[in-house]
Amino acid sequence: EVQLVESGGGLVQPGASLKLSCVASGFTFSDYWMSWVRQTPGKTMEWIGDIKYDGSYTNYAPSLKNRFTISRDNAKSTLYLQMSNVRSEDTATYYCTMATGGGVMDAWGQGASVTVSS
Amino acid sequence: DIRMTQSPASLSASLGETVNIECLASEDIYSDLAWYQQKPGKSPQLLIYNANSLQNGVPSRFSGSGSGTQYSLKINSLQSEDVATYFCQQYNNYPFTFGSGTKLEIK
Protein backbone atom coordinates (compact mmCIF):
# COMPACT_ATOMS: atom_id res chain seq x y z
CA GLU A 1 0.00 0.00 0.00
CA VAL A 2 1.34 3.40 -1.00
CA GLN A 3 1.90 5.67 1.97
CA LEU A 4 3.08 9.26 2.01
CA VAL A 5 3.63 10.88 5.38
CA GLU A 6 4.40 14.59 5.60
CA SER A 7 5.99 16.29 8.57
CA GLY A 8 7.57 19.60 9.50
CA GLY A 9 4.53 21.84 9.43
CA GLY A 10 3.53 24.27 12.15
CA LEU A 11 3.40 27.92 13.06
CA VAL A 12 6.12 30.04 11.49
CA GLN A 13 6.79 33.77 11.49
CA PRO A 14 6.71 35.84 8.31
CA GLY A 15 10.13 35.95 6.66
CA ALA A 16 11.29 32.69 8.22
CA SER A 17 12.20 29.42 6.54
CA LEU A 18 10.62 26.02 6.91
CA LYS A 19 11.41 22.58 5.50
CA LEU A 20 8.73 19.96 5.00
CA SER A 21 9.52 16.28 4.60
CA CYS A 22 7.52 13.44 3.09
CA VAL A 23 8.48 9.84 3.77
CA ALA A 24 7.25 7.39 1.15
CA SER A 25 6.62 3.67 1.45
CA GLY A 26 4.82 0.90 -0.39
CA PHE A 27 6.37 1.63 -3.78
CA THR A 28 9.78 2.09 -5.37
CA PHE A 29 10.28 5.76 -4.59
CA SER A 30 13.19 6.21 -7.00
CA ASP A 31 10.98 5.19 -9.96
CA TYR A 32 8.51 8.05 -9.65
CA TRP A 33 8.24 11.75 -10.17
CA MET A 34 6.95 13.40 -7.01
CA SER A 35 5.17 16.69 -6.49
CA TRP A 36 3.96 19.13 -3.87
CA VAL A 37 0.49 20.67 -3.89
CA ARG A 38 -0.99 23.07 -1.37
CA GLN A 39 -4.56 23.85 -0.36
CA THR A 40 -5.42 27.20 1.14
CA PRO A 41 -7.86 27.64 4.02
CA GLY A 42 -10.41 28.67 1.38
CA LYS A 43 -9.86 25.25 -0.28
CA THR A 44 -8.09 26.53 -3.40
CA MET A 45 -5.65 23.93 -4.74
CA GLU A 46 -2.29 25.14 -6.03
CA TRP A 47 0.39 23.02 -7.66
CA ILE A 48 3.81 23.97 -6.25
CA GLY A 49 6.17 21.88 -8.36
CA ASP A 50 7.57 18.48 -9.10
CA ILE A 51 10.85 16.60 -9.26
CA LYS A 52 12.09 13.89 -11.56
CA TYR A 53 12.60 10.38 -10.17
CA ASP A 54 16.40 10.80 -10.01
CA GLY A 55 16.29 14.34 -8.68
CA SER A 56 17.93 15.76 -11.79
CA TYR A 57 15.08 18.04 -12.86
CA THR A 58 12.49 20.18 -11.18
CA ASN A 59 9.56 22.30 -12.30
CA TYR A 60 7.92 25.02 -10.26
CA ALA A 61 4.91 27.29 -10.27
CA PRO A 62 6.38 30.61 -11.49
CA SER A 63 4.97 32.51 -8.53
CA LEU A 64 6.84 30.25 -6.06
CA LYS A 65 10.02 29.45 -7.94
CA ASN A 66 12.17 32.04 -6.18
CA ARG A 67 11.23 30.97 -2.65
CA PHE A 68 10.48 27.24 -2.75
CA THR A 69 12.88 24.37 -3.50
CA ILE A 70 11.98 20.74 -4.01
CA SER A 71 14.54 18.01 -3.43
CA ARG A 72 14.62 14.31 -2.69
CA ASP A 73 16.78 11.64 -1.09
CA ASN A 74 16.06 8.36 -2.81
CA ALA A 75 18.15 6.41 -0.29
CA LYS A 76 15.75 7.60 2.40
CA SER A 77 12.62 7.52 0.22
CA THR A 78 12.04 11.09 1.29
CA LEU A 79 10.81 14.17 -0.55
CA TYR A 80 11.49 17.68 0.72
CA LEU A 81 10.05 21.15 0.30
CA GLN A 82 12.25 24.02 1.46
CA MET A 83 10.25 27.19 1.94
CA SER A 84 12.02 30.50 2.46
CA ASN A 85 10.88 34.05 3.26
CA VAL A 86 7.40 32.75 3.99
CA ARG A 87 4.40 35.04 3.82
CA SER A 88 0.89 34.96 5.26
CA GLU A 89 -0.42 33.77 1.90
CA ASP A 90 1.70 30.61 2.26
CA THR A 91 -0.66 29.50 5.03
CA ALA A 92 -2.04 26.23 3.70
CA THR A 93 -2.07 22.47 3.98
CA TYR A 94 0.84 21.05 2.00
CA TYR A 95 0.44 17.70 0.29
CA CYS A 96 3.11 15.41 -1.05
CA THR A 97 1.93 13.42 -4.07
CA MET A 98 3.18 10.56 -6.21
CA ALA A 99 2.96 11.59 -9.84
CA THR A 100 2.39 9.29 -12.78
CA GLY A 101 1.38 9.68 -16.40
CA GLY A 102 3.03 13.06 -16.81
CA GLY A 103 1.28 14.85 -13.99
CA VAL A 104 -1.51 12.67 -12.64
CA MET A 105 -1.38 12.61 -8.84
CA ASP A 106 -1.97 8.98 -8.05
CA ALA A 107 -1.49 9.16 -4.32
CA TRP A 108 -1.54 11.92 -1.73
CA GLY A 109 -0.20 12.24 1.77
CA GLN A 110 -2.33 13.27 4.73
CA GLY A 111 -1.02 16.83 4.48
CA ALA A 112 1.09 19.11 6.66
CA SER A 113 -0.47 22.28 7.98
CA VAL A 114 1.61 25.46 7.78
CA THR A 115 0.46 28.69 9.39
CA VAL A 116 2.42 31.87 8.77
CA SER A 117 1.70 34.43 11.43
CA SER A 118 3.49 36.70 13.88
CA ASP B 1 -0.94 29.48 -17.24
CA ILE B 2 -3.96 27.42 -18.30
CA ARG B 3 -7.06 28.52 -16.44
CA MET B 4 -9.51 25.82 -15.37
CA THR B 5 -13.07 27.05 -14.87
CA GLN B 6 -15.12 24.54 -12.92
CA SER B 7 -18.88 24.60 -12.44
CA PRO B 8 -21.04 24.58 -10.50
CA ALA B 9 -19.32 25.70 -7.31
CA SER B 10 -21.81 23.71 -5.28
CA LEU B 11 -24.41 21.13 -6.01
CA SER B 12 -27.19 19.51 -4.03
CA ALA B 13 -28.78 16.31 -5.32
CA SER B 14 -30.89 13.42 -4.06
CA LEU B 15 -29.71 9.88 -3.51
CA GLY B 16 -29.89 7.88 -6.71
CA GLU B 17 -29.73 10.96 -8.95
CA THR B 18 -27.18 11.59 -11.68
CA VAL B 19 -24.97 14.67 -11.40
CA ASN B 20 -22.59 16.35 -13.79
CA ILE B 21 -19.65 18.60 -13.03
CA GLU B 22 -18.02 20.63 -15.77
CA CYS B 23 -14.50 21.88 -16.31
CA LEU B 24 -13.53 24.33 -19.03
CA ALA B 25 -9.88 24.87 -19.93
CA SER B 26 -8.66 28.19 -21.30
CA GLU B 27 -6.91 26.30 -24.12
CA ASP B 28 -6.81 22.82 -25.59
CA ILE B 29 -5.40 20.36 -23.04
CA TYR B 30 -5.64 17.28 -25.25
CA SER B 31 -7.45 15.18 -22.64
CA ASP B 32 -4.66 15.64 -20.08
CA LEU B 33 -7.22 16.02 -17.37
CA ALA B 34 -7.73 14.35 -14.00
CA TRP B 35 -10.59 14.44 -11.50
CA TYR B 36 -10.07 14.14 -7.75
CA GLN B 37 -12.48 13.57 -4.90
CA GLN B 38 -11.83 15.11 -1.50
CA LYS B 39 -14.08 13.92 1.29
CA PRO B 40 -14.52 16.18 4.32
CA GLY B 41 -11.36 16.27 6.43
CA LYS B 42 -9.47 13.93 4.08
CA SER B 43 -6.83 14.17 1.38
CA PRO B 44 -7.82 14.20 -2.29
CA GLN B 45 -8.01 10.89 -4.15
CA LEU B 46 -7.66 10.29 -7.86
CA LEU B 47 -10.88 9.27 -9.62
CA ILE B 48 -10.29 9.77 -13.34
CA TYR B 49 -7.21 10.43 -15.50
CA ASN B 50 -6.72 11.07 -19.21
CA ALA B 51 -10.20 12.58 -19.12
CA ASN B 52 -12.03 9.25 -19.16
CA SER B 53 -9.90 6.50 -17.57
CA LEU B 54 -11.19 5.21 -14.26
CA GLN B 55 -8.59 4.79 -11.53
CA ASN B 56 -8.35 1.28 -10.07
CA GLY B 57 -10.84 0.75 -7.28
CA VAL B 58 -13.10 3.66 -8.19
CA PRO B 59 -16.77 2.66 -8.55
CA SER B 60 -18.06 2.46 -12.10
CA ARG B 61 -20.80 5.00 -11.35
CA PHE B 62 -18.08 7.60 -11.87
CA SER B 63 -17.20 8.47 -15.45
CA GLY B 64 -15.35 11.20 -17.27
CA SER B 65 -15.69 12.58 -20.76
CA GLY B 66 -14.65 15.45 -22.94
CA SER B 67 -11.97 16.69 -25.27
CA GLY B 68 -10.29 19.87 -26.32
CA THR B 69 -11.24 22.48 -23.74
CA GLN B 70 -14.46 20.97 -22.32
CA TYR B 71 -14.62 18.13 -19.81
CA SER B 72 -17.13 16.65 -17.44
CA LEU B 73 -17.41 14.27 -14.53
CA LYS B 74 -20.60 12.26 -14.23
CA ILE B 75 -21.77 10.47 -11.13
CA ASN B 76 -24.61 8.01 -11.63
CA SER B 77 -26.84 6.74 -8.84
CA LEU B 78 -25.57 9.18 -6.24
CA GLN B 79 -24.63 7.55 -2.94
CA SER B 80 -24.23 9.13 0.50
CA GLU B 81 -20.50 8.37 0.42
CA ASP B 82 -20.14 10.61 -2.64
CA VAL B 83 -20.49 13.72 -0.47
CA ALA B 84 -17.21 15.49 -1.19
CA THR B 85 -15.55 18.31 -3.07
CA TYR B 86 -14.46 17.43 -6.61
CA PHE B 87 -11.54 19.07 -8.41
CA CYS B 88 -10.36 18.92 -11.99
CA GLN B 89 -6.66 19.33 -12.84
CA GLN B 90 -4.87 19.77 -16.15
CA TYR B 91 -1.41 18.30 -16.71
CA ASN B 92 -0.93 19.19 -20.35
CA ASN B 93 1.25 22.21 -19.63
CA TYR B 94 3.33 23.47 -16.75
CA PRO B 95 2.38 24.88 -14.36
CA PHE B 96 -0.30 22.29 -13.68
CA THR B 97 -3.53 23.95 -12.59
CA PHE B 98 -6.70 23.00 -10.76
CA GLY B 99 -10.31 23.99 -11.01
CA SER B 100 -11.84 25.79 -8.04
CA GLY B 101 -13.79 22.74 -6.89
CA THR B 102 -17.42 21.61 -6.72
CA LYS B 103 -18.90 20.85 -3.35
CA LEU B 104 -21.46 18.07 -3.62
CA GLU B 105 -24.09 17.60 -0.95
CA ILE B 106 -27.06 15.30 -0.58
CA LYS B 107 -30.46 16.96 -0.66
Side-chain angles (χ1 to χ4, degrees):
Chain A
E1 178 194 3
V2 172
Q3 282 204 326
L4 300 168
V5 180
E6 300 95 337
S7 62
L11 176 63
V12 59
Q13 292 199 334
S17 295
L18 189 67
K19 190 171 187 176
L20 303 182
S21 300
C22 169
V23 176
S25 61
F27 65 104
T28 305
F29 182 72
S30 57
D31 284 350
Y32 289 88
W33 285 70
M34 298 292 292
S35 65
W36 287 96
V37 175
R38 69 183 183 182
Q39 186 170 34
T40 68
K43 303 302 182 186
T44 298
M45 299 287 283
E46 182 177 19
W47 178 82
I48 296 170
D50 61 12
I51 184 166
K52 194 176 178 180
Y53 43 82
D54 61 359
S56 63
Y57 196 74
T58 51
N59 297 287
Y60 294 96
S63 61
L64 300 174
K65 183 174 185 175
N66 292 336
R67 298 189 298 118
F68 287 17
T69 302
I70 297 172
S71 61
R72 65 192 296 161
D73 184 338
N74 284 347
K76 296 181 178 179
S77 295
T78 302
L79 177 72
Y80 301 101
L81 177 65
Q82 177 72 53
M83 307 165 59
S84 63
N85 190 23
V86 296
R87 308 164 180 168
S88 58
E89 53 263 39
D90 295 323
T91 294
T93 298
Y94 287 74
Y95 293 102
C96 157
T97 81
M98 180 181 85
T100 63
V104 179
M105 294 169 208
D106 261 43
W108 298 61
Q110 87 287 353
S113 179
V114 173
T115 301
V116 181
S117 176
S118 54
Chain B
D1 298 4
I2 296 175
R3 186 173 63 254
M4 304 300 292
T5 303
Q6 190 173 338
S7 62
S10 63
L11 185 54
S12 182
S14 301
L15 294 174
E17 268 192 51
T18 294
V19 300
N20 282 284
I21 299 170
E22 309 288 332
C23 212
L24 178 66
S26 59
E27 62 186 77
D28 195 330
I29 57 171
Y30 302 94
S31 297
D32 291 334
L33 183 104
W35 290 97
Y36 302 90
Q37 176 192 62
Q38 185 176 32
K39 295 185 178 181
K42 301 293 186 182
S43 303
Q45 288 191 302
L46 177 65
L47 292 176
I48 302 278
Y49 60 96
N50 294 345
N52 59 16
S53 296
L54 197 66
Q55 174 70 343
N56 287 343
V58 174
S60 58
R61 64 177 180 275
F62 291 90
S63 63
S65 64
S67 63
T69 62
Q70 295 185 294
Y71 299 87
S72 63
L73 172 70
K74 183 178 180 180
I75 310 173
N76 287 317
S77 302
L78 192 65
Q79 306 292 307
S80 57
E81 60 262 34
D82 300 334
V83 168
T85 299
Y86 295 84
F87 294 92
C88 61
Q89 176 233 335
Q90 68 80 20
Y91 49 93
N92 184 70
N93 264 329
Y94 284 113
F96 301 152
T97 47
F98 289 84
S100 53
T102 296
K103 187 174 183 180
L104 175 61
E105 298 175 333
I106 302 296
K107 200 180 289 184

